[in-house]
Amino acid sequence: MAVAMAWLRRGAWGPARRCGLAAGRSYSGGGAYPSVSLSCPLPGVPKAVFAAAEGRERFETRVTVLENGLRVASQQKFGQFCTVGLLINSGSRHEAKYLSGISHFLEKLAFSSTAQFGSKDEILLTLEKHGGICDCQASRDTIMYAVSADARGLDTVVNLLADVVLQPRLSDEEIEMTRTAIRFELEDLNMRPDPEPVLTEMIHAAAYRDNTVGLNRYCPAENTAKIDREVLHSYLRNYYTPDRMVLAGVGIEHEQLVECAKKYLLGVEPVWGSGQTKDVDRSVAQYTGGIVKVEKDMSDVSLGPTPIPELTHIMIGLESCSFLEEDFIPFAVLNMMMGGGGSFSAGGPGKGMFTRLYLNVLNRHHWMYNATSYHHSYEDTGLLCIHASADPKQVREMVEIITREFILMAGAVGEVELERAKTQLKSMLMMNLESRPVIFEDVGRQVLATNTRKLPHELCALISQVKSTDIKRVVTKMLHKKPAVAALGDLTDLPTYEHIQAALSSKDGRLPRMYRLFR
């Protein structure tokens, strides 16, 4: 290095001139410094050795199945910390033979006292020693217990997870506290200015009436007092079995994770006993279509100096496909192409300002406050829906605008908008998979459903292959299904379900005209 610096001070710039560099450059400081090439190596400086990417096989997800049926999946990721957790094929869709709300209870009771740990505080203190945090999330088809901590504490983390999942105490005091927490959450849901969680429940209830994913994800208020330890144990006995579980880890060695799984999850007797499972619900989702309406005064939902105006919220959905089908990728591209958002959404083109619901709806109809596309996908079905909100007096016009957008999906798809949607989808996929917890969930969910995992470059290749004909084909198939409709707010001017169905069956998406003798 000293040789190079001396060479620079002497001003020996012959070779540099041959690289097309200026002899010197003046700066505001007054001194004249030579321009240093960014492409030509400096004489006398050792050749740089750069880190090279290892073979792709090092980054593939590895899966091992233990003797009891438990699957162990791991993914390499550079860093000191790891995310490890148990994903269980259990959720509100499996509660048909039980009291609705058990999964909601289990989510709230997670990481409470166990056989080894006397309280939640003990669990948090144990994790704190390894810089760890914990979380539990219950969805319609999966319950996920996860811990992020220093990778050196893997043994402690797996031991803790096994104890939390298989040896919970479920004391009377903890169950009573959970009842209180759930009642508060239900009250809060109905008071929120954003009704999206409530509308999502309503659209699922309309689309899959009284079956599987149409069952309520939240515990009904009348069931909070009925769910106790005995009810929870009867459910856990059937659904918390090793063959329905995946131990997933990101940022740790696979062999190490397998050893910990054998140590703490193999041959362990759960607190509810290990009797033969029965009454396991293996029902396939039955799409029914239909409408769920809730008349509600939304005028005082957000008071204050800048209150939110009274709005009526509509969500219209149609059955798409499961995430196991080939059409899942075209539907994901379609959902990205529709995009949308709120009329006051911050950001620019990167936030989807060129998506159809922005260009065709929000930009043209100033009175619409929201128009957003959602795609919910499960292992045996899927639901593509559009949520819109506007003043109660313009509900009919709003519904017609949304039905028209559904019909236009089957029309011509521009090459530019298709490429933009595909690029945006790939960008979002890769950006989300920068996060370790997101990789963990992706690994766990895919292995739970398919026993393997598609890597990001495989998904990007599938996205790139989507053509406009694929979009038209999946939309044409989707439009032959009955619609699912959820409506919340002042519904005086809401069109009938039959009129909405007729609009989605028409060529232009228009609602049937209504003629009145008196206005």
Side-chain angles (χ1 to χ4, degrees), residues 175-191:
I175 290 173
E176 192 54 49
M177 286 175 65
T178 300
R179 287 178 182 140
T180 305
I182 287 174
R183 288 185 189 116
F184 176 81
E185 186 178 355
L186 294 174
E187 193 176 331
D188 179 59
L189 272 174
N190 291 318
M191 292 173 64

Side-chain angles (χ1 to χ4, degrees), residues 360-517:
N360 301 346
V361 178
L362 294 171
N363 285 359
R364 295 183 184 180
H365 308 283
H366 64 89
W367 44 268
M368 283 191 68
Y369 278 77
N370 189 2
T372 312
S373 175
Y374 296 96
H375 187 216
H376 306 278
S377 198
Y378 306 95
E379 64 181 353
D380 51 2
T381 187
L383 190 65
L384 183 81
C385 43
I386 296 176
H387 168 209
S389 54
D391 186 276
K393 294 174 184 174
Q394 290 167 304
V395 168
R396 183 178 175 83
E397 193 176 349
M398 173 175 67
V399 170
E400 188 169 84
I401 288 167
I402 298 307
T403 54
R404 203 179 307 155
E405 284 304 312
F406 269 110
I407 297 300
L408 288 173
M409 287 182 195
V413 178
E415 197 61 38
V416 174
E417 74 169 339
L418 180 62
E419 285 303 314
R420 182 186 290 120
K422 293 197 291 187
T423 303
Q424 200 171 350
L425 180 59
K426 286 186 279 189
S427 171
M428 189 181 74
L429 172 73
M430 300 307 291
M431 185 177 68
N432 285 338
L433 288 174
E434 289 287 316
S435 167
R436 192 180 59 252
V438 174
I439 299 173
F440 156 76
E441 187 172 349
D442 183 50
V443 169
R445 284 183 179 275
Q446 286 202 49
V447 173
L448 193 64
T450 65
N451 296 321
T452 185
R453 181 187 179 225
K454 277 194 173 78
L455 294 175
H457 69 269
E458 296 176 83
L459 292 171
C460 287
L462 291 172
I463 292 168
S464 298
Q465 292 167 14
V466 175
K467 299 174 184 174
S468 56
T469 52
D470 296 322
I471 301 293
K472 187 168 184 176
R473 175 175 53 78
V474 298
V475 172
T476 304
K477 182 181 174 183
M478 179 178 72
L479 287 170
H480 283 102
K481 305 288 179 69
K482 287 176 63 178
V485 181
L488 178 69
D490 181 351
L491 308 179
T492 308
D493 293 332
L494 178 71
T496 64
Y497 177 77
E498 289 72 26
H499 281 188
I500 296 171
Q501 191 173 1
L504 289 168
S505 303
S506 67
K507 291 182 179 179
D508 56 5
R510 292 184 180 276
L511 292 164
R513 299 298 99 186
M514 292 180 65
Y515 302 98
R516 296 176 183 173
L517 291 174

Side-chain angles (χ1 to χ4, degrees), residues 96-156:
K97 298 178 182 178
Y98 296 87
L99 285 169
S100 177
I102 289 177
S103 299
H104 195 187
F105 257 79
L106 292 173
E107 179 187 38
K108 298 295 179 191
L109 284 163
F111 295 98
S112 296
S113 64
T114 67
Q116 288 184 47
F117 301 94
S119 66
K120 193 165 198 163
D121 289 340
E122 274 190 45
I123 289 175
L124 296 177
L125 284 170
T126 303
L127 288 174
E128 210 171 87
K129 293 173 186 174
H130 301 283
I133 54 171
C134 60
D135 187 28
C136 177
Q137 293 179 10
S139 62
R140 297 181 188 281
D141 54 359
T142 312
I143 294 182
M144 179 174 65
Y145 298 80
V147 171
S148 287
D150 193 304
R152 291 170 294 185
L154 179 65
D155 191 82
T156 304

